[in-house]
Amino acid sequence: MIEIKNVHANIEGKEILKGLTLTVNSGEVHAIMGPNGAGKSTLASILAGREEYEVTEGSITFEGEDLLELDTEERAHAGLFLAFQYPVEIPGVSNVNFLRTAINEIRDAKGEAPISAKDFMALVREKSKIVELDSKLASRAVNEGFSGGEKKRNEIFQMAMLNPKLAVLDETDSGLDIDALRIVAKGVNSLKSADNASIVITHYQRLLDYIVPDYVHVLYDGKIVKTGNKDLALELEEKGYDWIKEETQVG
Amino acid sequence: MDEVLTQTKFDILRKKLSPTAFPISEGSMSKAKGLLEHAEFPTRKIETWKYTNVNGLNKLSLNGESSDLTNSKSITKETKKVHIINGKLSKEHSDFSGIKTSWNELPNICQEDSFDALNLLYCTAAIELTFRDGENQIIELIFENTRNTAIFPRIFISCKESAKGTVILNFQGAEKNASFINVSTFVEVEENAHLSVHKIQKNGSDTFDLQREYVNQAANSVFAINTFPLSGRMTRNDLRINVNGSNCETFMNGAYTLKGKSHCDNHTTVDHKVAHCYSKELYKGVIDDRATNVFNGKVFVRKDAQKINAFQSNANILLSETGSVNSKPELEIYADDVKCSHGSTTGQLDDEAIFYLRSRGLSEKSAKELLVKAFLGEVLEEVDNEDVRSYVGQEIEKHFSA
Amino acid sequence: MGQYTENELAKDLENQDYKFGFTTDVETETIPVGLNEDIIRLISTKKEEPSWLLDYRLNAYRAWLKMTEPDWAHVRYDKPDFQKITYYAAPKQSKKYESWDDVDPEMKETMAKLGISLEEQKRLTGVAVDFVMDSVSVATSFKSKLKELGIIFCSFSEAVQEHPELVRAHMGTIIPHTDNFYAALNSAVFTDGSFCYIPKGVRCPMELSTYFRINAGGTGQFERTLVIADEGSYVSYLEGCTAPQRDENQLHAAVVELKALKDAEIKYSTVQNWYPGDKNGIGGVFNFVTKRGLCETNAKISWTQVETGSAVTWKYPSCVLKGDHSVGEFYSVAVTNNFQQADTGTKMIHLGKNTKSTIISKGISAGDSQNSYRGLVQIHKNAKNARNFSQCDSLLMTDHCGAHTFPYIECKNPSAQIEHEATTSKIGEDQLFYCKQRGISEEKAISLIVNGYCKEVLNQLPMEFAVEAQKLLAISLEGSVG
């Protein structure tokens, strides 16, 4: 589904990613872990196409297309979704209006007709249940005055509505209490299928108790330095990142 | 018709003044005269004088009586002091080392302001203060006004590269003094320099005090000015700061306590010409009796001055039925990547808070005093000079216990 | 401290200093170019006016001659040559319409292009529309239905003929003919406009609506609107404006007077998209309008405006809160793009006790435009416990536009509470990125964000107007990100 090859990326002239390589296939869940400053959020940003980040080397192929050639919204049209670490507030724009615009723009890009109001509302009702989102939140302005947990649930709700091929979850678990975490994870799990995939970026192992990854990668100093299964995450939880750092330096 | 009438107002004023003894270049002389001949005497029709009427200037008799100054004159300890008595430098009471007081020629006039022109032509004292790197000087200029006269100082302050300096402009007038104070202050803050100016205007009850500060800031500099109009018939301050270099910080604070028939007008302009600068302005005051306060704060952000953060706030407490408050905080912004805000509030003391304090045993008067002091305290907290802070604090205290 | 009297008020007033670019080929009847007393007499004669009105016009004209054009607003433009304007252009119609069906089909088509087909509106919304094309009102609908309730809603000229006592009693009482340069000009040469009277205790059951439009080239549009809400009544009045594309600058100097008597409420909404000039700042309408409302005891006037058009706008819908407990509101969205200049805001004059005012202003600047908020909050001596809250936000879309805020706050009563807040910021990069990540194009994202930013104001508009206003915002900001 996505093939990231030897990617180097800068922000304001500072190199953050230093040759990152990762392949994700349909039906897979990949977890990316790593200490602060390793480049986790940079990865999310370059996948979504944030302009401040410059990819200086390497390639990213998404569903056979050169992802780096696409504008942010074209990537979304192609089925890439980023759940933001810090979801943005858009005062005065209701969630429903926002999502309907997004869905119709995506449909339009695919040459499909706009969704009918009836179908749309049915979809909202169906999907808001997945994340146990109060239907009132759907009519409130995007993320405005939402609690941290509500914002994160809203991200997953949007993901459910847009039904992406590849979802990138950027520290979706940070700041969540255990109940909210459970709900978010349940949402993500219920959206999982053989046709889609997700990259779960996290700092903490506990999310992976709920979203079981097929692969766990350790990102350190701009590169993936270790890959394993769920057990690697447990090991990290137990020992911290220092042993990785030492191992990398020795290697 | 109007023109003839307003022309004569400057003329009447000029007849009462003695031409300056300081040498002025011919160019400056003719420019200044030209300015006065063509300028309209301020009337309410002129936007910048909309709320301030200076017609009373012409009623002053400028070679009038003297009376003694009773309160303490200097407010700082252990600093270099320069005394200007009734507008003239006083050699006996001053330490002039390193301060320029004699001139071959005054710097040329560079502003288009009729009162600055007036200041030049009738200048009574010209002083240049220079701060150099490593000295960290504090200089207090004490203006003692005991006679009803014209006090027209022209002050040049230069804070050299990486220097740090503090200037205290301390205006002290005898209680009933009826002078015309007209000051032009020119400030250059060079690269990486830090300059603080504290201005105290404790004028006699019939004094007109019109002051202008023209400030230029170079890159990486910090300039702070604290203005305290404490008394006087009419006080008008025009503060114009050009921020010419990037990464500058500019602080403007003011606190005023007005009563009787006094009129106070603070016009400030901070002109952000380049990117990456910060400015913060806080003016607060309490207006009682028949007093009037005017605040006009202007923040300019020029076309290419991106990443400017500018904050401006004016808060007033109006205590009497007969006082009035005019507040005009303005933003004029031509760049897009900026964060600017301003706020203005006018109100009275919080009845709930007064009630609360009274329920704890305070009299109504002391409850009000306490709240007013707390209200103005926010401005005092911004003052980094201990002597100035405590002096102004005491004056505020006196103001309310009188 | 007694009640504020009419005399005091009079004294106080004295002391205060495209999308629709097509031309309709309806034959228009015009009078010679230029302005003098004869032209004014001619206008008055053509309109078969009573002599008191001619006198009013001439007085205004004489006052105007002594006035100078104001230049304190933050706008730059070439002053109009008042001798090059045609002051009267009436669609040439020999007979008056008996019914809607009699209206010239071409004119109906014009209205259809404007998106306000009367038929559609009649059917769908029940809006009564008084359509003003080039100075003369050509069609008024729903009149009979309104008549049953005693509501008078007609063209200004008709009101002069049929209700002269009402017009004479109220006209010029809120905006005296000497108020300002353009109000004086309007008072001298106004050709038509709307008149509305809501009787005591009547709640007008539908939104009253007028569409203004400048059609003939070189004609100034001098509208005059007078709305009187008698005691305890309510009316919501909509005004929409469009002007076809023309190269030269056209002048629009309207006067709108509102009077809300005891316990009455007037809601006045405007959507203005006069021709703003082209991308290079050529042409466009000069919109110099004086709008003011007077509130008696416990009355309320609420101005809502969405301003996207005109090359130069100079407009301050105001409330004189004369009666105790009266309320004034001002909700505004002003969008400027390309070389447009807007200097707009409001005046809230608090005279009565316990008066309240709210100002919400949202400015959006794009292109090379200049957008200024100018507002006055004035608390007079007797206005005990007056309250004002003002919020003025500016949004900048490019790095070569300007956004300015000039609030004037004048307080003479110690029990007043006045709060003014203003912010200026750039359209949020984070917000744009978030929208784009969800698949929304930049243009759409901007329109979404801007509409959200203006929501507090748009919410004040009647439903069908709000939709139109949102579309207008999107059209005005097309291609505006810099």
Side-chain angles (χ1 to χ4, degrees):
Chain A
M1 172 160 304
I2 191 163
E3 219 181 333
I4 304 168
K5 270 193 203 158
N6 187 33
V7 162
H8 292 248
N10 285 345
I11 181 162
E12 289 174 356
K14 195 179 164 217
E15 188 169 56
I16 309 283
L17 295 184
K18 302 172 180 173
L20 186 140
T21 297
L22 176 70
T23 302
V24 176
N25 298 310
S26 298
E28 292 176 353
V29 175
H30 289 241
I32 303 221
M33 301 185 70
N36 286 329
K40 299 191 301 287
S41 286
T42 302
L43 174 62
S45 297
I46 61 157
L47 287 177
R50 234 186 237 280
E51 277 169 21
E52 303 93 282
Y53 292 85
E54 190 195 355
V55 175
T56 52
E57 213 183 314
S59 67
I60 306 177
T61 314
F62 178 59
E63 294 278 272
E65 269 193 275
D66 182 354
L67 188 76
L68 298 176
E69 282 299 305
L70 301 179
D71 287 338
T72 297
E73 61 267 34
E74 290 170 333
R75 298 179 195 203
H77 299 163
L80 186 133
F81 180 89
L82 171 67
F84 284 59
Q85 183 178 2
Y86 306 108
V88 178
E89 298 187 4
I90 309 180
V93 178
S94 75
N95 246 329
V96 176
N97 186 15
F98 176 71
L99 274 169
R100 198 169 166 201
T101 310
I103 286 177
N104 284 336
E105 290 258 305
I106 293 171
R107 290 174 73 112
D108 186 54
K110 291 180 184 158
E112 294 169 12
I115 188 166
S116 75
K118 197 171 148 242
D119 291 350
F120 176 77
M121 286 321 290
L123 198 63
V124 167
R125 272 194 295 278
E126 181 198 332
K127 302 296 183 187
S128 57
K129 279 189 202 126
I130 295 180
V131 285
E132 299 174 28
L133 197 68
D134 190 329
S135 57
K136 275 184 215 133
L137 285 187
S139 57
R140 275 184 28 203
V142 180
N143 293 324
E144 198 186 28
F146 284 28
S147 70
E150 283 169 345
K151 281 184 184 168
K152 295 297 172 77
R153 274 194 273 163
N154 192 27
E155 291 293 288
I156 305 305
F157 168 60
Q158 291 183 18
M159 174 177 151
M161 291 292 291
L162 299 179
N163 192 24
K165 287 194 186 121
L166 176 68
V168 180
L169 279 61
D170 187 8
E171 306 216 6
T172 300
D173 55 329
S174 59
L176 292 187
D177 65 27
I178 198 70
D179 292 328
L181 183 68
R182 190 183 46 75
I183 294 167
V184 164
K186 196 187 94 191
V188 174
N189 288 332
S190 70
L191 296 171
K192 192 179 161 182
S193 80
D195 302 324
N196 62 24
S198 39
I199 297 175
V200 181
I201 295 171
T202 180
H203 193 70
Y204 307 105
Q205 185 274 332
R206 64 172 189 170
L207 176 66
L208 305 180
D209 287 344
Y210 297 93
I211 303 173
V212 180
D214 300 300
Y215 300 94
V216 173
H217 309 277
V218 179
L219 184 60
Y220 176 68
D221 196 23
K223 271 185 264 193
I224 286 175
V225 294
K226 207 169 179 62
T227 296
N229 60 15
K230 188 178 179 293
D231 296 337
L232 177 59
L234 290 170
E235 202 176 344
L236 285 169
E237 179 82 350
E238 206 175 291
K239 297 193 197 163
Y241 288 103
D242 288 348
W243 63 281
I244 298 273
K245 291 183 192 172
E246 280 160 29
E247 215 169 71
T248 314
Q249 272 146 17
V250 172
Chain B
M1 256 247 315
D2 261 6
E3 207 165 307
V4 178
L5 211 78
T6 49
Q7 268 307 1
T8 46
K9 280 187 187 161
F10 266 127
D11 290 345
I12 295 168
L13 201 53
R14 288 173 70 180
K15 279 188 195 126
K16 294 192 203 170
L17 300 167
S18 342
T20 185
F22 289 91
I24 304 172
S25 76
E26 236 163 74
S28 279
M29 180 80 82
S30 66
K31 184 178 172 188
K33 283 184 174 163
L35 273 170
L36 283 173
E37 270 151 32
H38 294 109
E40 251 183 90
F41 195 80
T43 64
R44 293 179 65 95
K45 277 190 200 155
I46 299 171
E47 186 71 19
T48 50
W49 292 91
K50 189 174 159 77
Y51 299 109
T52 298
N53 178 338
V54 286
N55 283 338
L57 277 177
N58 274 331
K59 299 196 185 105
L60 294 174
S61 124
L62 296 178
N63 45 12
E65 301 157 22
S66 303
S67 51
D68 280 346
L69 198 53
T70 46
N71 51 338
S72 71
K73 291 149 198 138
S74 156
I75 62 166
T76 58
K77 301 167 208 107
E78 292 155 32
T79 53
K80 183 178 278 189
K81 293 182 180 63
V82 174
H83 280 79
I84 297 100
I85 297 173
N86 293 319
K88 300 270 185 353
L89 282 162
S90 163
K91 293 232 157 72
E92 336 159 30
H93 301 96
S94 302
D95 173 3
F96 286 143
S97 60
I99 294 174
K100 183 170 176 177
T101 55
S102 64
W103 302 80
N104 295 327
E105 192 175 278
L106 287 180
N108 282 332
I109 188 168
C110 54
Q111 299 294 332
E112 303 283 329
D113 185 300
S114 40
F115 284 103
D116 181 48
L118 205 62
N119 172 284
L120 179 77
L121 294 177
Y122 303 95
C123 175
T124 59
I127 308 158
E128 185 177 60
L129 310 176
T130 305
F131 296 91
R132 293 192 172 79
D133 190 11
E135 294 174 350
N136 194 8
Q137 280 203 90
I138 301 175
I139 303 176
E140 181 179 355
L141 303 187
I142 304 139
F143 300 84
E144 289 175 24
N145 306 321
T146 57
R147 206 158 70 85
N148 298 346
T149 186
I151 295 146
F152 283 29
R154 212 163 169 80
I155 305 165
F156 302 88
I157 301 171
S158 165
C159 197
K160 298 290 179 197
E161 193 175 319
S162 299
K164 187 171 178 204
T166 301
V167 178
I168 293 141
L169 301 172
N170 179 13
F171 292 82
Q172 296 284 338
E175 203 183 327
K176 295 267 164 62
N177 188 264
S179 289
F180 175 18
I181 304 176
N182 177 17
V183 189
S184 289
T185 304
F186 304 87
V187 180
E188 294 292 330
V189 189
E190 293 189 5
E191 274 195 30
N192 204 34
H194 285 59
L195 181 71
S196 300
V197 175
H198 307 280
K199 187 162 89 170
I200 287 137
Q201 293 163 292
K202 179 143 180 60
N203 292 322
S205 55
D206 288 313
T207 293
F208 281 68
D209 185 1
L210 310 182
Q211 304 209 12
R212 295 153 305 281
E213 284 97 19
Y214 304 99
V215 182
N216 283 305
Q217 273 188 270
N220 305 316
S221 66
V222 178
F223 175 70
I225 181 161
N226 301 311
T227 307
F228 300 105
L230 297 172
S231 57
R233 171 72 188 83
M234 143 97 47
T235 309
R236 160 82 179 219
N237 294 309
D238 274 278
L239 172 59
R240 294 171 212 175
I241 303 175
N242 293 318
V243 186
N244 302 316
S246 68
N247 198 31
C248 285
E249 291 181 25
T250 309
F251 301 91
M252 294 154 280
N253 300 298
Y256 38 88
T257 48
L258 310 180
K259 58 182 175 185
K261 279 182 166 180
S262 64
H263 180 109
C264 174
D265 181 343
N266 283 293
H267 268 63
T268 69
T269 303
V270 54
D271 190 347
H272 286 288
K273 297 187 174 177
V274 290
H276 294 283
C277 289
Y278 175 85
S279 67
K280 183 169 172 249
E281 176 167 27
L282 175 67
Y283 273 70
K284 284 181 129 181
V286 182
I287 295 93
D288 204 349
D289 302 336
R290 306 181 64 82
T292 300
N293 185 64
V294 180
F295 172 83
N296 184 311
K298 190 173 237 171
V299 175
F300 251 115
V301 180
R302 301 275 169 165
K303 209 162 179 171
D304 298 311
Q306 303 292 354
K307 308 270 181 202
I308 296 292
N309 283 354
F311 304 97
Q312 186 189 55
S313 168
N314 174 229
N316 297 290
I317 290 181
L318 183 53
L319 292 173
S320 70
E321 305 274 336
T322 43
S324 77
V325 170
N326 302 291
S327 176
K328 196 179 166 213
E330 301 178 42
L331 298 174
E332 214 167 305
I333 293 164
Y334 298 89
D336 72 331
D337 195 359
V338 297
K339 236 188 224 151
C340 298
S341 67
H342 69 204
S344 168
T345 59
T346 300
Q348 57 285 311
L349 295 170
D350 182 359
D351 283 341
E352 268 308 296
I354 293 171
F355 179 74
Y356 181 80
L357 292 170
R358 289 175 68 190
S359 78
R360 294 293 178 265
L362 276 78
S363 70
E364 185 170 343
K365 186 167 178 288
S366 50
K368 282 183 176 172
E369 247 179 74
L370 196 68
L371 291 171
V372 164
K373 278 186 271 177
F375 173 76
L376 296 175
E378 197 193 343
V379 178
L380 288 183
E381 275 169 30
E382 300 286 321
V383 178
D384 58 0
N385 182 295
E386 178 59 38
D387 291 334
V388 173
R389 194 169 56 230
S390 80
Y391 172 79
V392 176
Q394 284 164 22
E395 284 299 319
I396 291 173
E397 194 110 355
K398 268 195 241 161
H399 177 92
F400 289 101
S401 54
Chain C
M1 273 182 274
Q3 257 237 341
Y4 202 76
T5 66
E6 294 280 347
N7 283 344
E8 281 173 287
L9 172 68
K11 224 165 84 193
D12 275 342
L13 290 174
E14 240 168 66
N15 290 337
Q16 281 161 33
D17 293 293
Y18 237 59
K19 197 189 172 188
F20 302 121
F22 49 82
T23 311
T24 309
D25 292 322
V26 180
E27 266 186 86
T28 39
E29 179 194 11
T30 55
I31 59 171
V33 180
L35 184 56
N36 54 47
E37 292 202 2
D38 290 340
I39 293 280
I40 290 167
R41 285 199 176 88
L42 186 58
I43 294 171
S44 195
T45 313
K46 277 200 180 286
K47 302 182 73 63
E48 297 161 25
E49 285 175 356
S51 63
W52 62 263
L53 192 50
L54 175 62
D55 291 343
Y56 181 87
R57 286 176 182 277
L58 291 171
N59 276 337
Y61 175 69
R62 286 161 198 157
W64 177 76
L65 283 175
K66 292 193 195 120
M67 296 166 107
T68 46
E69 209 174 339
D71 56 7
W72 41 263
H74 194 90
V75 292
R76 301 277 167 274
Y77 58 93
D78 291 330
K79 306 233 145 100
D81 181 345
F82 296 100
Q83 294 307 335
K84 284 207 176 131
I85 293 172
T86 308
Y87 287 86
Y88 184 76
K92 214 173 195 171
Q93 301 290 346
S94 46
K95 60 181 169 70
K96 292 201 170 160
Y97 301 112
E98 290 301 317
S99 75
W100 174 239
D101 295 332
D102 298 340
V103 174
D104 186 339
E106 194 160 1
M107 200 171 287
K108 280 187 187 172
E109 203 185 311
T110 302
M111 296 187 217
K113 277 194 231 170
L114 286 167
I116 51 134
S117 138
L118 275 185
E119 283 143 311
E120 194 192 341
Q121 295 227 6
K122 273 189 215 167
R123 215 175 42 239
L124 296 177
T125 63
V127 175
V129 176
D130 183 15
F131 188 90
V132 178
M133 182 187 279
D134 280 345
S135 325
V136 174
S137 175
V138 290
T140 307
S141 55
F142 279 92
K143 209 180 259 180
S144 61
K145 196 169 172 192
L146 294 171
K147 210 170 173 182
E148 283 169 29
L149 292 162
I151 294 172
I152 304 166
F153 179 44
C154 61
S155 72
F156 202 90
S157 321
E158 209 177 319
V160 169
Q161 302 301 333
E162 286 170 26
H163 310 280
E165 70 301 335
L166 274 176
V167 176
R168 196 174 179 182
H170 295 284
M171 169 183 188
T173 57
I174 302 159
I175 303 174
H177 67 268
T178 50
D179 191 79
N180 67 66
F181 186 80
Y182 284 104
L185 180 63
N186 176 289
S187 300
V189 303
F190 71 91
T191 38
D192 212 335
S194 296
F195 176 84
C196 171
Y197 172 80
I198 315 290
K200 264 186 198 171
V202 170
R203 205 182 154 83
C204 182
M206 59 188 82
E207 315 272 358
L208 297 183
S209 174
T210 310
Y211 264 78
F212 294 124
R213 158 145 207 275
I214 299 177
N215 201 35
T219 52
Q221 186 99 346
F222 299 95
E223 299 296 334
R224 186 124 198 149
T225 300
L226 179 56
V227 179
I228 302 153
D230 211 330
E231 292 182 9
S233 68
Y234 167 85
V235 62
S236 169
Y237 191 94
L238 316 180
E239 171 198 88
C241 319
T242 57
Q245 207 154 325
R246 287 198 184 278
D247 273 347
E248 69 270 47
N249 296 93
Q250 291 182 82
L251 177 63
H252 178 246
V255 166
V256 176
E257 293 179 289
L258 309 185
K259 202 171 232 179
L261 298 178
K262 189 166 170 278
D263 300 320
E265 180 176 349
I266 301 174
K267 203 173 150 63
Y268 195 100
S269 314
T270 308
V271 172
Q272 183 265 115
N273 64 328
W274 299 116
Y275 178 52
D278 67 10
K279 281 212 153 49
N280 302 312
I282 309 292
V285 171
F286 290 163
N287 192 21
F288 303 143
V289 175
T290 309
K291 291 183 168 182
R292 193 176 301 151
L294 176 78
C295 287
E296 295 284 0
T297 304
N298 214 19
K300 176 176 172 182
I301 288 179
S302 180
W303 297 99
T304 305
Q305 59 174 28
V306 175
E307 302 271 323
T308 63
S310 298
V312 182
T313 300
W314 180 97
K315 177 182 171 189
Y316 315 92
S318 309
C319 296
V320 179
L321 303 173
K322 176 178 164 237
D324 295 348
H325 307 283
S326 59
V327 176
E329 293 175 340
F330 175 73
Y331 299 94
S332 168
V333 171
V335 181
T336 51
N337 200 352
N338 299 321
F339 287 89
Q340 277 176 277
Q341 306 177 70
D343 193 303
T344 180
T346 183
K347 293 182 192 174
M348 293 292 174
I349 315 288
H350 291 256
L351 304 172
K353 299 184 187 80
N354 300 310
T355 45
K356 248 169 69 180
S357 63
T358 304
I359 298 170
I360 308 283
S361 162
K362 304 277 183 177
I364 300 164
S365 329
D368 293 284
S369 68
Q370 298 295 331
N371 199 332
S372 304
Y373 166 81
R374 186 183 304 275
L376 169 70
V377 175
Q378 198 173 54
I379 313 284
H380 282 243
K381 270 199 167 55
N382 297 350
K384 255 204 151 122
N385 294 319
R387 295 284 176 270
N388 162 266
F389 175 76
S390 308
Q391 171 79 48
C392 307
D393 295 323
S394 305
L395 195 62
L396 295 152
M397 310 290 286
T398 63
D399 58 5
H400 35 270
C401 57
H404 320 294
T405 318
F406 306 104
Y408 298 64
I409 299 151
E410 304 176 6
C411 177
K412 287 193 170 24
N413 188 297
S415 59
Q417 289 280 8
I418 309 164
E419 271 178 78
H420 169 94
E421 287 172 22
T423 63
T424 302
S425 56
K426 192 187 178 176
I427 186 160
E429 291 289 347
D430 286 350
Q431 294 173 340
L432 278 178
F433 180 71
Y434 190 74
C435 291
K436 278 154 85 179
Q437 207 298 310
R438 296 297 182 255
I440 300 170
S441 65
E442 183 154 294
E443 294 272 310
K444 270 258 166 65
I446 287 168
S447 148
L448 261 185
I449 294 166
V450 163
N451 273 305
Y453 164 82
C454 301
K455 193 147 204 170
E456 279 168 282
V457 175
L458 298 178
N459 278 348
Q460 298 296 325
L461 289 173
M463 189 62 166
E464 58 280 10
F465 238 39
V467 173
E468 186 176 340
Q470 285 189 19
K471 281 189 201 144
L472 265 181
L473 286 181
I475 293 168
S476 317
L477 290 169
E478 253 168 35
S480 63
V481 181

